[in-house]
mmCIF file of all heavy atoms in Angstrom:
data_model
loop_
_atom_site.group_PDB
_atom_site.id
_atom_site.type_symbol
_atom_site.label_atom_id
_atom_site.label_comp_id
_atom_site.label_asym_id
_atom_site.label_seq_id
_atom_site.Cartn_x
_atom_site.Cartn_y
_atom_site.Cartn_z
ATOM 1 N N MET J 113 -25.052 29.739 132.718
ATOM 2 C CA MET J 113 -23.712 30.192 132.345
ATOM 3 C C MET J 113 -23.558 30.446 130.855
ATOM 4 O O MET J 113 -22.618 31.136 130.447
ATOM 5 C CB MET J 113 -22.663 29.161 132.795
ATOM 6 C CG MET J 113 -22.585 28.950 134.286
ATOM 7 S SD MET J 113 -21.306 27.753 134.735
ATOM 8 C CE MET J 113 -19.835 28.568 134.116
ATOM 9 N N GLY J 114 -24.433 29.861 130.046
ATOM 10 C CA GLY J 114 -24.290 29.997 128.616
ATOM 11 C C GLY J 114 -23.234 29.047 128.080
ATOM 12 O O GLY J 114 -22.739 28.160 128.791
ATOM 13 N N PRO J 115 -22.820 29.230 126.812
ATOM 14 C CA PRO J 115 -21.812 28.343 126.213
ATOM 15 C C PRO J 115 -20.492 28.320 126.959
ATOM 16 O O PRO J 115 -19.714 27.372 126.808
ATOM 17 C CB PRO J 115 -21.634 28.940 124.805
ATOM 18 C CG PRO J 115 -22.903 29.673 124.530
ATOM 19 C CD PRO J 115 -23.359 30.211 125.850
ATOM 20 N N SER J 116 -20.207 29.356 127.765
ATOM 21 C CA SER J 116 -18.940 29.382 128.509
ATOM 22 C C SER J 116 -18.841 28.254 129.525
ATOM 23 O O SER J 116 -17.753 27.951 130.025
ATOM 24 C CB SER J 116 -18.772 30.721 129.231
ATOM 25 O OG SER J 116 -19.773 30.891 130.215
ATOM 26 N N MET J 117 -19.967 27.597 129.830
ATOM 27 C CA MET J 117 -19.939 26.486 130.786
ATOM 28 C C MET J 117 -19.028 25.364 130.307
ATOM 29 O O MET J 117 -18.314 24.744 131.113
ATOM 30 C CB MET J 117 -21.352 25.951 131.007
ATOM 31 C CG MET J 117 -21.407 24.708 131.877
ATOM 32 S SD MET J 117 -23.081 24.055 131.989
ATOM 33 C CE MET J 117 -22.751 22.450 132.734
ATOM 34 N N ILE J 118 -19.038 25.096 129.003
ATOM 35 C CA ILE J 118 -18.247 23.971 128.486
ATOM 36 C C ILE J 118 -16.748 24.230 128.608
ATOM 37 O O ILE J 118 -16.024 23.399 129.174
ATOM 38 C CB ILE J 118 -18.662 23.657 127.037
ATOM 39 C CG1 ILE J 118 -20.112 23.158 127.018
ATOM 40 C CG2 ILE J 118 -17.725 22.618 126.415
ATOM 41 C CD1 ILE J 118 -20.652 22.842 125.655
ATOM 42 N N PRO J 119 -16.203 25.364 128.106
ATOM 43 C CA PRO J 119 -14.768 25.589 128.307
ATOM 44 C C PRO J 119 -14.383 25.725 129.775
ATOM 45 O O PRO J 119 -13.278 25.308 130.164
ATOM 46 C CB PRO J 119 -14.492 26.886 127.537
ATOM 47 C CG PRO J 119 -15.815 27.507 127.310
ATOM 48 C CD PRO J 119 -16.796 26.392 127.240
ATOM 49 N N GLU J 120 -15.274 26.283 130.601
ATOM 50 C CA GLU J 120 -14.981 26.376 132.034
ATOM 51 C C GLU J 120 -14.873 24.980 132.650
ATOM 52 O O GLU J 120 -14.015 24.734 133.505
ATOM 53 C CB GLU J 120 -16.068 27.181 132.741
ATOM 54 C CG GLU J 120 -15.986 28.673 132.520
ATOM 55 C CD GLU J 120 -14.734 29.280 133.134
ATOM 56 O OE1 GLU J 120 -14.268 28.765 134.171
ATOM 57 O OE2 GLU J 120 -14.205 30.257 132.562
ATOM 58 N N THR J 121 -15.749 24.081 132.214
ATOM 59 C CA THR J 121 -15.690 22.711 132.712
ATOM 60 C C THR J 121 -14.427 22.012 132.237
ATOM 61 O O THR J 121 -13.732 21.336 133.014
ATOM 62 C CB THR J 121 -16.934 21.921 132.253
ATOM 63 O OG1 THR J 121 -18.106 22.568 132.730
ATOM 64 C CG2 THR J 121 -16.903 20.499 132.784
ATOM 65 N N LEU J 122 -14.096 22.182 130.959
ATOM 66 C CA LEU J 122 -12.889 21.557 130.407
ATOM 67 C C LEU J 122 -11.636 22.059 131.097
ATOM 68 O O LEU J 122 -10.656 21.314 131.264
ATOM 69 C CB LEU J 122 -12.800 21.824 128.902
ATOM 70 C CG LEU J 122 -13.861 21.146 128.029
ATOM 71 C CD1 LEU J 122 -13.752 21.617 126.590
ATOM 72 C CD2 LEU J 122 -13.719 19.625 128.099
ATOM 73 N N ARG J 123 -11.661 23.321 131.518
ATOM 74 C CA ARG J 123 -10.502 23.897 132.196
ATOM 75 C C ARG J 123 -10.212 23.183 133.517
ATOM 76 O O ARG J 123 -9.092 23.213 134.021
ATOM 77 C CB ARG J 123 -10.733 25.388 132.428
ATOM 78 C CG ARG J 123 -9.475 26.166 132.769
ATOM 79 C CD ARG J 123 -9.721 27.663 132.779
ATOM 80 N NE ARG J 123 -9.954 28.165 131.429
ATOM 81 C CZ ARG J 123 -11.068 28.756 131.028
ATOM 82 N NH1 ARG J 123 -12.072 28.921 131.875
ATOM 83 N NH2 ARG J 123 -11.204 29.193 129.796
ATOM 84 N N ARG J 124 -11.213 22.533 134.050
ATOM 85 C CA ARG J 124 -11.032 21.791 135.297
ATOM 86 C C ARG J 124 -10.834 20.287 135.052
ATOM 87 O O ARG J 124 -9.962 19.664 135.652
ATOM 88 C CB ARG J 124 -12.244 21.994 136.208
ATOM 89 C CG ARG J 124 -12.389 23.414 136.734
ATOM 90 C CD ARG J 124 -13.697 23.583 137.492
ATOM 91 N NE ARG J 124 -13.835 24.911 138.055
ATOM 92 C CZ ARG J 124 -13.459 25.256 139.281
ATOM 93 N NH1 ARG J 124 -12.908 24.349 140.060
ATOM 94 N NH2 ARG J 124 -13.626 26.495 139.727
ATOM 95 N N THR J 125 -11.659 19.716 134.185
ATOM 96 C CA THR J 125 -11.639 18.263 134.031
ATOM 97 C C THR J 125 -10.422 17.763 133.253
ATOM 98 O O THR J 125 -9.887 16.694 133.571
ATOM 99 C CB THR J 125 -12.919 17.779 133.333
ATOM 100 O OG1 THR J 125 -13.069 18.456 132.078
ATOM 101 C CG2 THR J 125 -14.136 18.047 134.204
ATOM 102 N N VAL J 126 -9.980 18.503 132.235
ATOM 103 C CA VAL J 126 -8.841 18.039 131.437
ATOM 104 C C VAL J 126 -7.563 17.982 132.263
ATOM 105 O O VAL J 126 -6.876 16.941 132.279
ATOM 106 C CB VAL J 126 -8.664 18.921 130.179
ATOM 107 C CG1 VAL J 126 -7.354 18.577 129.469
ATOM 108 C CG2 VAL J 126 -9.842 18.726 129.227
ATOM 109 N N PRO J 127 -7.164 19.070 132.970
ATOM 110 C CA PRO J 127 -5.950 18.965 133.794
ATOM 111 C C PRO J 127 -6.049 17.889 134.868
ATOM 112 O O PRO J 127 -5.055 17.202 135.151
ATOM 113 C CB PRO J 127 -5.823 20.366 134.419
ATOM 114 C CG PRO J 127 -6.580 21.265 133.512
ATOM 115 C CD PRO J 127 -7.717 20.447 133.004
ATOM 116 N N GLU J 128 -7.231 17.739 135.461
ATOM 117 C CA GLU J 128 -7.375 16.729 136.510
ATOM 118 C C GLU J 128 -7.207 15.321 135.941
ATOM 119 O O GLU J 128 -6.559 14.464 136.550
ATOM 120 C CB GLU J 128 -8.742 16.872 137.178
ATOM 121 C CG GLU J 128 -8.934 15.942 138.361
ATOM 122 C CD GLU J 128 -10.219 16.212 139.121
ATOM 123 O OE1 GLU J 128 -10.749 17.333 139.014
ATOM 124 O OE2 GLU J 128 -10.682 15.287 139.811
ATOM 125 N N THR J 129 -7.768 15.090 134.762
ATOM 126 C CA THR J 129 -7.641 13.776 134.134
ATOM 127 C C THR J 129 -6.194 13.499 133.733
ATOM 128 O O THR J 129 -5.669 12.397 133.950
ATOM 129 C CB THR J 129 -8.553 13.680 132.899
ATOM 130 O OG1 THR J 129 -9.903 13.946 133.281
ATOM 131 C CG2 THR J 129 -8.468 12.307 132.266
ATOM 132 N N LEU J 130 -5.538 14.499 133.147
ATOM 133 C CA LEU J 130 -4.141 14.319 132.739
ATOM 134 C C LEU J 130 -3.236 14.077 133.939
ATOM 135 O O LEU J 130 -2.321 13.253 133.881
ATOM 136 C CB LEU J 130 -3.669 15.550 131.953
ATOM 137 C CG LEU J 130 -4.305 15.758 130.577
ATOM 138 C CD1 LEU J 130 -3.785 17.033 129.932
ATOM 139 C CD2 LEU J 130 -4.055 14.559 129.669
ATOM 140 N N ALA J 131 -3.484 14.793 135.035
ATOM 141 C CA ALA J 131 -2.673 14.599 136.237
ATOM 142 C C ALA J 131 -2.855 13.192 136.789
ATOM 143 O O ALA J 131 -1.890 12.549 137.240
ATOM 144 C CB ALA J 131 -3.060 15.637 137.286
ATOM 145 N N MET J 132 -4.072 12.705 136.745
ATOM 146 C CA MET J 132 -4.346 11.350 137.214
ATOM 147 C C MET J 132 -3.601 10.313 136.372
ATOM 148 O O MET J 132 -2.919 9.420 136.897
ATOM 149 C CB MET J 132 -5.858 11.096 137.150
ATOM 150 C CG MET J 132 -6.270 9.662 137.401
ATOM 151 S SD MET J 132 -8.041 9.430 137.057
ATOM 152 C CE MET J 132 -8.163 7.642 137.267
ATOM 153 N N LEU J 133 -3.702 10.442 135.046
ATOM 154 C CA LEU J 133 -3.045 9.486 134.157
ATOM 155 C C LEU J 133 -1.527 9.581 134.256
ATOM 156 O O LEU J 133 -0.824 8.564 134.213
ATOM 157 C CB LEU J 133 -3.498 9.722 132.722
ATOM 158 C CG LEU J 133 -4.985 9.469 132.450
ATOM 159 C CD1 LEU J 133 -5.340 9.860 131.017
ATOM 160 C CD2 LEU J 133 -5.347 8.014 132.706
ATOM 161 N N ALA J 134 -1.011 10.804 134.379
ATOM 162 C CA ALA J 134 0.436 10.981 134.499
ATOM 163 C C ALA J 134 0.959 10.312 135.756
ATOM 164 O O ALA J 134 2.037 9.696 135.750
ATOM 165 C CB ALA J 134 0.779 12.468 134.501
ATOM 166 N N SER J 135 0.222 10.421 136.841
ATOM 167 C CA SER J 135 0.649 9.794 138.093
ATOM 168 C C SER J 135 0.626 8.277 137.999
ATOM 169 O O SER J 135 1.514 7.592 138.502
ATOM 170 C CB SER J 135 -0.264 10.271 139.225
ATOM 171 O OG SER J 135 0.027 9.589 140.422
ATOM 172 N N ILE J 136 -0.369 7.743 137.325
ATOM 173 C CA ILE J 136 -0.530 6.285 137.246
ATOM 174 C C ILE J 136 0.509 5.651 136.329
ATOM 175 O O ILE J 136 1.030 4.569 136.614
ATOM 176 C CB ILE J 136 -1.948 5.947 136.762
ATOM 177 C CG1 ILE J 136 -2.972 6.325 137.839
ATOM 178 C CG2 ILE J 136 -2.078 4.466 136.406
ATOM 179 C CD1 ILE J 136 -4.411 6.209 137.392
ATOM 180 N N PHE J 137 0.845 6.327 135.219
ATOM 181 C CA PHE J 137 1.690 5.701 134.202
ATOM 182 C C PHE J 137 3.138 6.197 134.215
ATOM 183 O O PHE J 137 3.877 5.920 133.272
ATOM 184 C CB PHE J 137 1.076 5.930 132.819
ATOM 185 C CG PHE J 137 -0.175 5.147 132.587
ATOM 186 C CD1 PHE J 137 -1.424 5.766 132.573
ATOM 187 C CD2 PHE J 137 -0.132 3.775 132.394
ATOM 188 C CE1 PHE J 137 -2.586 5.041 132.367
ATOM 189 C CE2 PHE J 137 -1.288 3.038 132.184
ATOM 190 C CZ PHE J 137 -2.515 3.670 132.173
ATOM 191 N N SER J 138 3.567 6.911 135.254
ATOM 192 C CA SER J 138 4.955 7.381 135.325
ATOM 193 C C SER J 138 5.779 6.416 136.171
ATOM 194 O O SER J 138 5.484 6.226 137.352
ATOM 195 C CB SER J 138 5.023 8.782 135.932
ATOM 196 O OG SER J 138 4.443 9.729 135.078
ATOM 197 N N PRO J 139 6.825 5.819 135.598
ATOM 198 C CA PRO J 139 7.648 4.887 136.381
ATOM 199 C C PRO J 139 8.495 5.582 137.433
ATOM 200 O O PRO J 139 8.916 4.962 138.409
ATOM 201 C CB PRO J 139 8.517 4.208 135.317
ATOM 202 C CG PRO J 139 8.513 5.130 134.153
ATOM 203 C CD PRO J 139 7.223 5.875 134.186
ATOM 204 N N ILE J 140 8.781 6.882 137.239
ATOM 205 C CA ILE J 140 9.566 7.644 138.206
ATOM 206 C C ILE J 140 8.866 8.973 138.452
ATOM 207 O O ILE J 140 8.127 9.457 137.599
ATOM 208 C CB ILE J 140 11.008 7.899 137.709
ATOM 209 C CG1 ILE J 140 10.985 8.578 136.339
ATOM 210 C CG2 ILE J 140 11.796 6.602 137.655
ATOM 211 C CD1 ILE J 140 12.359 8.908 135.801
ATOM 212 N N PRO J 141 9.057 9.576 139.626
ATOM 213 C CA PRO J 141 8.397 10.848 139.914
ATOM 214 C C PRO J 141 9.052 12.002 139.166
ATOM 215 O O PRO J 141 10.149 11.869 138.611
ATOM 216 C CB PRO J 141 8.562 10.992 141.430
ATOM 217 C CG PRO J 141 9.798 10.212 141.752
ATOM 218 C CD PRO J 141 9.833 9.072 140.777
ATOM 219 N N GLY J 142 8.360 13.146 139.160
ATOM 220 C CA GLY J 142 8.918 14.338 138.533
ATOM 221 C C GLY J 142 8.078 14.814 137.360
ATOM 222 O O GLY J 142 7.434 14.014 136.670
ATOM 223 N N THR J 143 8.122 16.124 137.138
ATOM 224 C CA THR J 143 7.328 16.722 136.063
ATOM 225 C C THR J 143 7.757 16.220 134.694
ATOM 226 O O THR J 143 6.923 15.915 133.832
ATOM 227 C CB THR J 143 7.443 18.249 136.120
ATOM 228 O OG1 THR J 143 7.025 18.705 137.406
ATOM 229 C CG2 THR J 143 6.583 18.894 135.051
ATOM 230 N N ALA J 144 9.075 16.130 134.471
ATOM 231 C CA ALA J 144 9.572 15.683 133.167
ATOM 232 C C ALA J 144 9.124 14.255 132.874
ATOM 233 O O ALA J 144 8.675 13.932 131.765
ATOM 234 C CB ALA J 144 11.089 15.780 133.119
ATOM 235 N N ALA J 145 9.229 13.381 133.890
ATOM 236 C CA ALA J 145 8.827 11.985 133.700
ATOM 237 C C ALA J 145 7.332 11.884 133.422
ATOM 238 O O ALA J 145 6.893 11.082 132.582
ATOM 239 C CB ALA J 145 9.185 11.166 134.933
ATOM 240 N N GLN J 146 6.542 12.698 134.092
ATOM 241 C CA GLN J 146 5.105 12.659 133.870
ATOM 242 C C GLN J 146 4.738 13.173 132.481
ATOM 243 O O GLN J 146 3.812 12.667 131.850
ATOM 244 C CB GLN J 146 4.385 13.459 134.954
ATOM 245 C CG GLN J 146 4.460 12.805 136.327
ATOM 246 C CD GLN J 146 3.592 13.491 137.346
ATOM 247 O OE1 GLN J 146 3.082 14.589 137.120
ATOM 248 N NE2 GLN J 146 3.413 12.859 138.491
ATOM 249 N N THR J 147 5.467 14.171 131.998
ATOM 250 C CA THR J 147 5.237 14.655 130.635
ATOM 251 C C THR J 147 5.554 13.569 129.618
ATOM 252 O O THR J 147 4.785 13.336 128.668
ATOM 253 C CB THR J 147 6.084 15.899 130.355
ATOM 254 O OG1 THR J 147 5.765 16.919 131.309
ATOM 255 C CG2 THR J 147 5.840 16.422 128.953
ATOM 256 N N ILE J 148 6.677 12.889 129.808
ATOM 257 C CA ILE J 148 7.041 11.779 128.927
ATOM 258 C C ILE J 148 5.961 10.693 128.979
ATOM 259 O O ILE J 148 5.587 10.105 127.951
ATOM 260 C CB ILE J 148 8.408 11.197 129.324
ATOM 261 C CG1 ILE J 148 9.512 12.225 129.082
ATOM 262 C CG2 ILE J 148 8.704 9.911 128.552
ATOM 263 C CD1 ILE J 148 10.872 11.801 129.603
ATOM 264 N N SER J 149 5.450 10.440 130.173
ATOM 265 C CA SER J 149 4.430 9.402 130.339
ATOM 266 C C SER J 149 3.167 9.735 129.558
ATOM 267 O O SER J 149 2.568 8.859 128.929
ATOM 268 C CB SER J 149 4.097 9.229 131.825
ATOM 269 O OG SER J 149 5.241 8.824 132.546
#
Side-chain angles (χ1 to χ4, degrees):
M113 297 181 61
S116 64
M117 174 185 168
I118 295 179
E120 284 294 328
T121 301
L122 292 174
R123 196 171 290 119
R124 293 173 177 268
T125 56
V126 171
E128 185 173 338
T129 303
L130 292 178
M132 171 188 174
L133 295 175
S135 174
I136 291 172
F137 289 107
S138 292
I140 55 178
T143 303
Q146 291 188 348
T147 302
I148 294 173
S149 299

